[in-house]
Amino acid sequence: MSCRVVVLISGSGSNLQALIEQLDSPAEIVGVIANRPQAYGLQRATVAGIANECLDHQGFSSREAFDQALAERIDSYQPDLVVLAGFMRILTPELVRRYHGRMLNIHPSLLPKYKGLHTHQRALDAGDAEHGATIHFVTEELDGGPLVVQGRVKVIADDSAETLAARVQLIEHRLYPLAVSWFAQGRLRLASQGAELDGELIASGGLRMEDYPQTSEA
Ligand code: GAR
């Protein structure tokens, strides 16, 4: 049986592109929703033949009203999993609860470090030797749900926020397909204690991507 995936985006959609290229059965991307009409990821979806639409948050008077409409659009695809791929919105608790255990996010830092915005600059300012990205289950705490897997890069002497972000994105493009595949295969789930892979509780710091080499990588 396939795992129906809906991807939510706000911008370029390079993570969406990585999912399009690397996911295979049982994962199936059935829809892409953007909250900004100019989100380039919508074009990526069109090129890939995936149903896509924009629900512009600017047309709504409140966060609650937008999230209610968003839930209706998401549900129209009957997804098993909702993937936040650069979806730059704070979600209402109602929306998060609705998809409890079936919503993943990617965040550009080694959580629990640097929740929120400007993560690359903050890692540089702190003088960190390494930085990276994290996949986690979404809960009501912003960027605070149980961690699944992290990918790391070394910070190098001349890094700017832009060069560091570019290297982190390369890692992101391997990280998300890995985690979504696990979920689609029924290996990854959110249990009452935290995230589990193959029935084993994932430690609070998450798994390390380098321990799971991917053979189907582009
Ligand atoms: C990604 O780097 C992702 O980690 C980040 O937005 C970017 C989207 O890029 N997400 C967040 O900052 C969430 N708080 P993309 O549109 O090219 O996939």
Side-chain angles (χ1 to χ4, degrees):
M1 225 175 73
S2 84
C3 172
R4 298 172 62 82
V5 179
V6 165
V7 183
L8 305 190
I9 60 166
S10 296
S12 160
S14 70
N15 278 286
L16 167 66
Q17 187 69 42
L19 292 166
I20 289 170
E21 288 171 12
Q22 294 176 52
L23 286 181
D24 47 25
S25 177
E28 187 191 352
I29 304 175
V30 293
V32 173
I33 305 173
N35 67 313
R36 293 185 184 136
Q38 67 275 23
Y40 180 64
L42 291 171
Q43 291 180 47
R44 298 183 192 268
T46 298
V47 168
I50 298 168
N52 63 88
E53 59 186 282
C54 175
L55 187 68
D56 190 343
H57 64 272
Q58 291 186 332
F60 293 83
S61 58
S62 69
R63 193 173 291 282
E64 286 70 27
F66 174 73
D67 275 11
Q68 205 168 2
L70 180 61
E72 281 171 26
R73 294 313 309 142
I74 294 171
D75 290 349
S76 75
Y77 296 98
Q78 301 182 296
D80 300 296
L81 177 67
V82 179
V83 165
L84 306 181
F87 189 62
M88 304 306 277
R89 294 276 308 170
I90 292 177
L91 306 177
T92 55
E94 290 71 28
L95 192 83
V96 171
R97 277 199 291 269
R98 187 181 190 96
Y99 302 106
H100 181 79
R102 46 193 191 111
M103 183 181 267
L104 292 173
N105 182 42
I106 189 161
H107 185 73
S109 79
L110 296 174
L111 289 172
K113 280 186 166 184
Y114 314 131
K115 297 174 180 179
L117 298 175
H118 310 301
T119 58
H120 310 296
Q121 189 60 52
R122 287 157 71 197
L124 287 175
D125 291 347
D128 290 355
E130 57 175 17
H131 182 48
T134 304
I135 308 292
H136 65 93
F137 277 103
V138 176
T139 62
E140 289 175 47
E141 191 193 339
L142 179 69
D143 299 328
L147 306 195
V148 175
V149 59
Q150 296 190 317
R152 303 174 133 71
V153 299
K154 289 209 181 327
V155 179
I156 53 181
D158 293 342
D159 264 330
S160 62
E162 291 70 32
T163 59
L164 189 52
R167 286 208 313 291
V168 169
Q169 278 227 324
L170 293 178
I171 292 287
E172 293 188 3
H173 299 161
R174 295 161 57 197
L175 206 53
Y176 229 162
L178 179 66
V180 173
S181 301
W182 284 343
F183 187 95
Q185 291 161 4
R187 298 176 60 190
L188 173 66
R189 61 186 281 265
L190 184 60
S192 55
Q193 310 270 60
E196 283 182 359
L197 184 66
D198 297 330
E200 284 195 28
L201 191 64
I202 297 174
S204 61
L207 301 168
R208 295 174 75 108
M209 184 179 74
E210 55 272 28
D211 294 335
Y212 299 88
Q214 285 154 290
T215 48
S216 63
E217 209 171 284

